[in-house]
Amino acid sequence: MGAIHALHAHELSQETASCVVAALADANTERARSFAAQFGRNIPVFASIEELAAAGVADATVVVTPTCDHSRHSRTLIEAGQRVLLEKPLTGALDTDREFAAWLDHHHPNALMLAFQRRFDAPLRYAKDLLDTGVIGRVYKIYSALEDSFPAPDGYKSGGILPDMSIHNVDEILWLTGGTPTAALTIGSRLYSHRLTTSEEDFDDALLYVWFGEDTVVQVQVARNHVSGYRVETIIFGEEGQIHIGHFDQKLFEITVEAYGRRGRKEPLAHLTFPMREYGRALPEFVDRFGPAYKAELAAFIECCRSGAPFPTTHRDALRAQQVISAGMERVISFEQAAPVR
């Protein structure tokens, strides 16, 4: 993600002159220098966040470091006077999320933007517009899936599949509905991909079930076993129809949003296909789906930094999502806890 954010920052600097890529920081400085060379100018490279902050060469930084370092690295930069775009999650655990959020609220309430790129995704924004018009009536269920086509890389540090993956889905749901969850539970399994990696994770397939009162539910499916390809799919069920975003069909660069009314209505309420960007280089599979959203998110961050405006997503959004996930993790049903079939 560091590479994709840097690429987008460079493109925005060329297209809009709204920013300049002032520096790169990476413990592997040779990798950073090799990447910087493609920009055609001499960009300073630092071996640590601390060196970058002390150098005073930047006004803002995108932090893409291991989750366990998020709080320390962000604090270092913020205390040096910078504003920060932090990749999800905030810290990866509810207690440390609360501690970091309290520090930000007390000392620097407008210093950090949380990178929830789905809010900047054109298909999802179109679906939200449809939803807000009331075209499908009262929403009573949402299904949101996020499934990788391969396991976490060897050595990857994960706080669990739900805190690591489903935070995107949970924030998406909170943003789409504007609602307040009241209860949650988790069903988790180890089915396939956990055997293929040294990365230790609680499950490789999980369902987070969330209630918004008694008459609205959300089902979040996350997995590392979708071998046919990266899958991101959301279905919103209403009393007058449904909205479907991103039906999986291996068309990586065509994302369709469709809305249908009640049975018997022949024409769709809406049907629109959004082209995604082909980068022409080796990048993580999720960039095929969310590349334009990542760039739009960064553009929004830069504009807020230039104008001094509050960020559209903050540490408070990250904390809300983590509260839902943490509640779900308090009630986990796995194979051992399931009732036997007799």
mmCIF file of all heavy atoms in Angstrom, residues 96-126:
data_model
loop_
_atom_site.group_PDB
_atom_site.id
_atom_site.type_symbol
_atom_site.label_atom_id
_atom_site.label_comp_id
_atom_site.label_asym_id
_atom_site.label_seq_id
_atom_site.Cartn_x
_atom_site.Cartn_y
_atom_site.Cartn_z
ATOM 1 N N THR A 96 -6.548 -0.301 22.950
ATOM 2 C CA THR A 96 -5.557 0.641 22.426
ATOM 3 C C THR A 96 -6.190 1.636 21.451
ATOM 4 O O THR A 96 -5.728 2.771 21.338
ATOM 5 C CB THR A 96 -4.401 -0.111 21.750
ATOM 6 O OG1 THR A 96 -4.929 -1.085 20.828
ATOM 7 C CG2 THR A 96 -3.539 -0.815 22.784
ATOM 8 N N ASP A 97 -7.258 1.234 20.758
ATOM 9 C CA ASP A 97 -8.011 2.191 19.945
ATOM 10 C C ASP A 97 -8.565 3.308 20.825
ATOM 11 O O ASP A 97 -8.474 4.498 20.494
ATOM 12 C CB ASP A 97 -9.179 1.486 19.243
ATOM 13 C CG ASP A 97 -8.805 0.941 17.864
ATOM 14 O OD1 ASP A 97 -7.606 0.825 17.580
ATOM 15 O OD2 ASP A 97 -9.725 0.632 17.087
ATOM 16 N N ARG A 98 -9.171 2.921 21.942
ATOM 17 C CA ARG A 98 -9.748 3.924 22.846
ATOM 18 C C ARG A 98 -8.677 4.856 23.397
ATOM 19 O O ARG A 98 -8.875 6.072 23.482
ATOM 20 C CB ARG A 98 -10.489 3.213 23.982
ATOM 21 C CG ARG A 98 -11.837 2.646 23.565
ATOM 22 C CD ARG A 98 -12.480 1.861 24.687
ATOM 23 N NE ARG A 98 -13.875 1.533 24.371
ATOM 24 C CZ ARG A 98 -14.546 0.533 24.902
ATOM 25 N NH1 ARG A 98 -13.941 -0.271 25.783
ATOM 26 N NH2 ARG A 98 -15.797 0.308 24.574
ATOM 27 N N GLU A 99 -7.546 4.292 23.764
ATOM 28 C CA GLU A 99 -6.459 5.106 24.312
ATOM 29 C C GLU A 99 -5.942 6.108 23.272
ATOM 30 O O GLU A 99 -5.767 7.292 23.567
ATOM 31 C CB GLU A 99 -5.321 4.192 24.773
ATOM 32 C CG GLU A 99 -4.118 4.940 25.322
ATOM 33 C CD GLU A 99 -2.955 4.014 25.630
ATOM 34 O OE1 GLU A 99 -3.126 2.782 25.537
ATOM 35 O OE2 GLU A 99 -1.865 4.529 25.934
ATOM 36 N N PHE A 100 -5.703 5.620 22.046
ATOM 37 C CA PHE A 100 -5.187 6.496 20.994
ATOM 38 C C PHE A 100 -6.224 7.545 20.605
ATOM 39 O O PHE A 100 -5.911 8.720 20.417
ATOM 40 C CB PHE A 100 -4.787 5.647 19.790
ATOM 41 C CG PHE A 100 -4.054 6.395 18.709
ATOM 42 C CD1 PHE A 100 -3.345 7.557 18.974
ATOM 43 C CD2 PHE A 100 -4.070 5.921 17.403
ATOM 44 C CE1 PHE A 100 -2.670 8.237 17.965
ATOM 45 C CE2 PHE A 100 -3.408 6.592 16.390
ATOM 46 C CZ PHE A 100 -2.717 7.752 16.667
ATOM 47 N N ALA A 101 -7.491 7.137 20.503
ATOM 48 C CA ALA A 101 -8.549 8.082 20.149
ATOM 49 C C ALA A 101 -8.701 9.164 21.212
ATOM 50 O O ALA A 101 -8.920 10.339 20.887
ATOM 51 C CB ALA A 101 -9.870 7.334 19.949
ATOM 52 N N ALA A 102 -8.579 8.787 22.484
ATOM 53 C CA ALA A 102 -8.673 9.773 23.563
ATOM 54 C C ALA A 102 -7.524 10.771 23.481
ATOM 55 O O ALA A 102 -7.711 11.979 23.694
ATOM 56 C CB ALA A 102 -8.682 9.059 24.913
ATOM 57 N N TRP A 103 -6.323 10.271 23.165
ATOM 58 C CA TRP A 103 -5.164 11.171 23.012
ATOM 59 C C TRP A 103 -5.388 12.152 21.862
ATOM 60 O O TRP A 103 -5.129 13.351 21.988
ATOM 61 C CB TRP A 103 -3.905 10.340 22.777
ATOM 62 C CG TRP A 103 -2.655 11.166 22.620
ATOM 63 C CD1 TRP A 103 -1.871 11.679 23.609
ATOM 64 C CD2 TRP A 103 -2.059 11.567 21.371
ATOM 65 N NE1 TRP A 103 -0.812 12.385 23.067
ATOM 66 C CE2 TRP A 103 -0.903 12.326 21.690
ATOM 67 C CE3 TRP A 103 -2.369 11.361 20.039
ATOM 68 C CZ2 TRP A 103 -0.077 12.873 20.716
ATOM 69 C CZ3 TRP A 103 -1.555 11.907 19.061
ATOM 70 C CH2 TRP A 103 -0.424 12.659 19.399
ATOM 71 N N LEU A 104 -5.876 11.635 20.738
ATOM 72 C CA LEU A 104 -6.153 12.505 19.594
ATOM 73 C C LEU A 104 -7.236 13.519 19.931
ATOM 74 O O LEU A 104 -7.087 14.713 19.637
ATOM 75 C CB LEU A 104 -6.580 11.665 18.392
ATOM 76 C CG LEU A 104 -5.480 10.849 17.715
ATOM 77 C CD1 LEU A 104 -6.083 9.795 16.782
ATOM 78 C CD2 LEU A 104 -4.538 11.756 16.929
ATOM 79 N N ASP A 105 -8.334 13.079 20.542
ATOM 80 C CA ASP A 105 -9.418 13.997 20.885
ATOM 81 C C ASP A 105 -8.931 15.112 21.803
ATOM 82 O O ASP A 105 -9.347 16.269 21.669
ATOM 83 C CB ASP A 105 -10.566 13.244 21.557
ATOM 84 C CG ASP A 105 -11.453 12.508 20.562
ATOM 85 O OD1 ASP A 105 -11.526 12.950 19.396
ATOM 86 O OD2 ASP A 105 -12.070 11.502 20.948
ATOM 87 N N HIS A 106 -8.068 14.782 22.735
ATOM 88 C CA HIS A 106 -7.600 15.763 23.726
ATOM 89 C C HIS A 106 -6.547 16.705 23.157
ATOM 90 O O HIS A 106 -6.578 17.921 23.421
ATOM 91 C CB HIS A 106 -7.037 15.037 24.947
ATOM 92 C CG HIS A 106 -6.628 15.957 26.053
ATOM 93 N ND1 HIS A 106 -7.548 16.634 26.835
ATOM 94 C CD2 HIS A 106 -5.401 16.338 26.505
ATOM 95 C CE1 HIS A 106 -6.896 17.383 27.717
ATOM 96 N NE2 HIS A 106 -5.596 17.217 27.541
ATOM 97 N N HIS A 107 -5.635 16.173 22.342
ATOM 98 C CA HIS A 107 -4.494 16.972 21.911
ATOM 99 C C HIS A 107 -4.559 17.413 20.440
ATOM 100 O O HIS A 107 -4.161 18.542 20.115
ATOM 101 C CB HIS A 107 -3.195 16.185 22.136
ATOM 102 C CG HIS A 107 -2.916 15.859 23.566
ATOM 103 N ND1 HIS A 107 -2.514 16.795 24.490
ATOM 104 C CD2 HIS A 107 -2.997 14.666 24.228
ATOM 105 C CE1 HIS A 107 -2.341 16.209 25.671
ATOM 106 N NE2 HIS A 107 -2.627 14.922 25.532
ATOM 107 N N HIS A 108 -5.018 16.535 19.564
ATOM 108 C CA HIS A 108 -4.974 16.804 18.118
ATOM 109 C C HIS A 108 -6.227 16.239 17.440
ATOM 110 O O HIS A 108 -6.142 15.287 16.653
ATOM 111 C CB HIS A 108 -3.720 16.179 17.505
ATOM 112 C CG HIS A 108 -2.448 16.596 18.155
ATOM 113 N ND1 HIS A 108 -1.816 17.788 17.871
ATOM 114 C CD2 HIS A 108 -1.674 15.969 19.101
ATOM 115 C CE1 HIS A 108 -0.709 17.881 18.600
ATOM 116 N NE2 HIS A 108 -0.600 16.796 19.345
ATOM 117 N N PRO A 109 -7.402 16.805 17.699
ATOM 118 C CA PRO A 109 -8.654 16.190 17.209
ATOM 119 C C PRO A 109 -8.801 16.166 15.699
ATOM 120 O O PRO A 109 -9.586 15.367 15.180
ATOM 121 C CB PRO A 109 -9.733 17.063 17.858
ATOM 122 C CG PRO A 109 -9.055 18.359 18.171
ATOM 123 C CD PRO A 109 -7.642 18.006 18.508
ATOM 124 N N ASN A 110 -8.059 17.004 14.980
ATOM 125 C CA ASN A 110 -8.209 17.068 13.521
ATOM 126 C C ASN A 110 -6.911 16.723 12.785
ATOM 127 O O ASN A 110 -6.685 17.181 11.669
ATOM 128 C CB ASN A 110 -8.678 18.469 13.104
ATOM 129 C CG ASN A 110 -10.042 18.803 13.672
ATOM 130 O OD1 ASN A 110 -10.971 18.017 13.559
ATOM 131 N ND2 ASN A 110 -10.147 19.968 14.305
ATOM 132 N N ALA A 111 -6.095 15.881 13.403
ATOM 133 C CA ALA A 111 -4.777 15.600 12.824
ATOM 134 C C ALA A 111 -4.728 14.317 12.018
ATOM 135 O O ALA A 111 -3.782 14.125 11.248
ATOM 136 C CB ALA A 111 -3.717 15.538 13.934
ATOM 137 N N LEU A 112 -5.708 13.429 12.170
ATOM 138 C CA LEU A 112 -5.600 12.101 11.561
ATOM 139 C C LEU A 112 -6.845 11.763 10.746
ATOM 140 O O LEU A 112 -7.971 11.917 11.207
ATOM 141 C CB LEU A 112 -5.385 11.045 12.653
ATOM 142 C CG LEU A 112 -5.116 9.622 12.166
ATOM 143 C CD1 LEU A 112 -4.047 8.945 13.040
ATOM 144 C CD2 LEU A 112 -6.390 8.773 12.206
ATOM 145 N N MET A 113 -6.597 11.294 9.523
ATOM 146 C CA MET A 113 -7.656 10.744 8.670
ATOM 147 C C MET A 113 -7.451 9.240 8.580
ATOM 148 O O MET A 113 -6.335 8.775 8.353
ATOM 149 C CB MET A 113 -7.602 11.365 7.275
ATOM 150 C CG MET A 113 -8.614 10.795 6.288
ATOM 151 S SD MET A 113 -8.673 11.781 4.754
ATOM 152 C CE MET A 113 -9.525 10.635 3.653
ATOM 153 N N LEU A 114 -8.524 8.483 8.785
ATOM 154 C CA LEU A 114 -8.453 7.029 8.696
ATOM 155 C C LEU A 114 -8.782 6.600 7.276
ATOM 156 O O LEU A 114 -9.757 7.059 6.681
ATOM 157 C CB LEU A 114 -9.434 6.410 9.690
ATOM 158 C CG LEU A 114 -9.069 5.041 10.273
ATOM 159 C CD1 LEU A 114 -9.117 3.957 9.244
ATOM 160 C CD2 LEU A 114 -7.721 5.069 10.958
ATOM 161 N N ALA A 115 -7.969 5.720 6.726
ATOM 162 C CA ALA A 115 -8.083 5.340 5.311
ATOM 163 C C ALA A 115 -9.160 4.279 5.114
ATOM 164 O O ALA A 115 -8.874 3.084 5.025
ATOM 165 C CB ALA A 115 -6.732 4.850 4.789
ATOM 166 N N PHE A 116 -10.405 4.713 5.051
ATOM 167 C CA PHE A 116 -11.523 3.845 4.684
ATOM 168 C C PHE A 116 -11.896 4.160 3.233
ATOM 169 O O PHE A 116 -12.805 4.940 2.955
ATOM 170 C CB PHE A 116 -12.716 4.076 5.604
ATOM 171 C CG PHE A 116 -12.589 3.422 6.947
ATOM 172 C CD1 PHE A 116 -12.950 4.098 8.103
ATOM 173 C CD2 PHE A 116 -12.125 2.122 7.072
ATOM 174 C CE1 PHE A 116 -12.858 3.497 9.345
ATOM 175 C CE2 PHE A 116 -12.012 1.506 8.308
ATOM 176 C CZ PHE A 116 -12.383 2.196 9.453
ATOM 177 N N GLN A 117 -11.190 3.536 2.294
ATOM 178 C CA GLN A 117 -11.323 3.903 0.886
ATOM 179 C C GLN A 117 -12.689 3.584 0.300
ATOM 180 O O GLN A 117 -13.098 4.167 -0.701
ATOM 181 C CB GLN A 117 -10.215 3.244 0.054
ATOM 182 C CG GLN A 117 -10.511 1.879 -0.522
ATOM 183 C CD GLN A 117 -10.461 0.759 0.510
ATOM 184 O OE1 GLN A 117 -10.030 0.973 1.643
ATOM 185 N NE2 GLN A 117 -10.877 -0.443 0.119
ATOM 186 N N ARG A 118 -13.438 2.659 0.931
ATOM 187 C CA ARG A 118 -14.741 2.310 0.371
ATOM 188 C C ARG A 118 -15.683 3.513 0.306
ATOM 189 O O ARG A 118 -16.561 3.577 -0.556
ATOM 190 C CB ARG A 118 -15.391 1.186 1.184
ATOM 191 C CG ARG A 118 -14.673 -0.144 1.041
ATOM 192 C CD ARG A 118 -15.476 -1.270 1.648
ATOM 193 N NE ARG A 118 -14.778 -2.548 1.471
ATOM 194 C CZ ARG A 118 -15.379 -3.731 1.493
ATOM 195 N NH1 ARG A 118 -16.684 -3.797 1.657
ATOM 196 N NH2 ARG A 118 -14.680 -4.829 1.337
ATOM 197 N N ARG A 119 -15.516 4.457 1.197
ATOM 198 C CA ARG A 119 -16.373 5.643 1.180
ATOM 199 C C ARG A 119 -16.119 6.517 -0.052
ATOM 200 O O ARG A 119 -16.922 7.402 -0.348
ATOM 201 C CB ARG A 119 -16.161 6.465 2.445
ATOM 202 C CG ARG A 119 -16.529 5.738 3.734
ATOM 203 C CD ARG A 119 -16.562 6.704 4.884
ATOM 204 N NE ARG A 119 -16.774 6.043 6.164
ATOM 205 C CZ ARG A 119 -17.323 6.653 7.218
ATOM 206 N NH1 ARG A 119 -17.711 7.913 7.120
ATOM 207 N NH2 ARG A 119 -17.469 6.006 8.362
ATOM 208 N N PHE A 120 -15.015 6.264 -0.739
ATOM 209 C CA PHE A 120 -14.664 7.049 -1.926
ATOM 210 C C PHE A 120 -14.823 6.233 -3.207
ATOM 211 O O PHE A 120 -14.432 6.682 -4.275
ATOM 212 C CB PHE A 120 -13.225 7.554 -1.792
ATOM 213 C CG PHE A 120 -13.015 8.417 -0.579
ATOM 214 C CD1 PHE A 120 -12.680 7.863 0.642
ATOM 215 C CD2 PHE A 120 -13.174 9.790 -0.660
ATOM 216 C CE1 PHE A 120 -12.502 8.655 1.767
ATOM 217 C CE2 PHE A 120 -13.001 10.595 0.453
ATOM 218 C CZ PHE A 120 -12.663 10.034 1.675
ATOM 219 N N ASP A 121 -15.387 5.037 -3.078
ATOM 220 C CA ASP A 121 -15.562 4.132 -4.207
ATOM 221 C C ASP A 121 -16.814 4.506 -4.986
ATOM 222 O O ASP A 121 -17.916 4.587 -4.414
ATOM 223 C CB ASP A 121 -15.669 2.695 -3.682
ATOM 224 C CG ASP A 121 -15.909 1.694 -4.784
ATOM 225 O OD1 ASP A 121 -15.066 1.599 -5.688
ATOM 226 O OD2 ASP A 121 -16.957 1.006 -4.731
ATOM 227 N N ALA A 122 -16.677 4.739 -6.303
ATOM 228 C CA ALA A 122 -17.804 5.211 -7.115
ATOM 229 C C ALA A 122 -18.995 4.248 -7.094
ATOM 230 O O ALA A 122 -20.140 4.691 -6.949
ATOM 231 C CB ALA A 122 -17.339 5.474 -8.544
ATOM 232 N N PRO A 123 -18.811 2.924 -7.251
ATOM 233 C CA PRO A 123 -19.968 2.029 -7.179
ATOM 234 C C PRO A 123 -20.701 2.096 -5.841
ATOM 235 O O PRO A 123 -21.935 2.127 -5.803
ATOM 236 C CB PRO A 123 -19.356 0.644 -7.417
ATOM 237 C CG PRO A 123 -18.127 0.908 -8.204
ATOM 238 C CD PRO A 123 -17.587 2.193 -7.672
ATOM 239 N N LEU A 124 -19.962 2.121 -4.739
ATOM 240 C CA LEU A 124 -20.603 2.167 -3.434
ATOM 241 C C LEU A 124 -21.277 3.514 -3.182
ATOM 242 O O LEU A 124 -22.347 3.587 -2.561
ATOM 243 C CB LEU A 124 -19.588 1.855 -2.333
ATOM 244 C CG LEU A 124 -19.267 0.369 -2.142
ATOM 245 C CD1 LEU A 124 -18.038 0.180 -1.289
ATOM 246 C CD2 LEU A 124 -20.464 -0.366 -1.530
ATOM 247 N N ARG A 125 -20.671 4.596 -3.658
ATOM 248 C CA ARG A 125 -21.297 5.906 -3.497
ATOM 249 C C ARG A 125 -22.604 5.989 -4.298
ATOM 250 O O ARG A 125 -23.593 6.587 -3.838
ATOM 251 C CB ARG A 125 -20.321 7.013 -3.918
ATOM 252 C CG ARG A 125 -19.137 7.164 -2.968
ATOM 253 C CD ARG A 125 -18.120 8.160 -3.494
ATOM 254 N NE ARG A 125 -18.619 9.515 -3.392
ATOM 255 C CZ ARG A 125 -18.426 10.318 -2.339
ATOM 256 N NH1 ARG A 125 -17.757 9.872 -1.286
ATOM 257 N NH2 ARG A 125 -18.879 11.549 -2.323
ATOM 258 N N TYR A 126 -22.610 5.383 -5.483
ATOM 259 C CA TYR A 126 -23.833 5.339 -6.277
ATOM 260 C C TYR A 126 -24.909 4.529 -5.554
ATOM 261 O O TYR A 126 -26.084 4.931 -5.491
ATOM 262 C CB TYR A 126 -23.533 4.728 -7.641
ATOM 263 C CG TYR A 126 -24.732 4.547 -8.538
ATOM 264 C CD1 TYR A 126 -25.513 5.630 -8.938
ATOM 265 C CD2 TYR A 126 -25.082 3.269 -8.991
ATOM 266 C CE1 TYR A 126 -26.619 5.442 -9.767
ATOM 267 C CE2 TYR A 126 -26.175 3.083 -9.829
ATOM 268 C CZ TYR A 126 -26.935 4.172 -10.207
ATOM 269 O OH TYR A 126 -28.031 3.985 -11.020
#
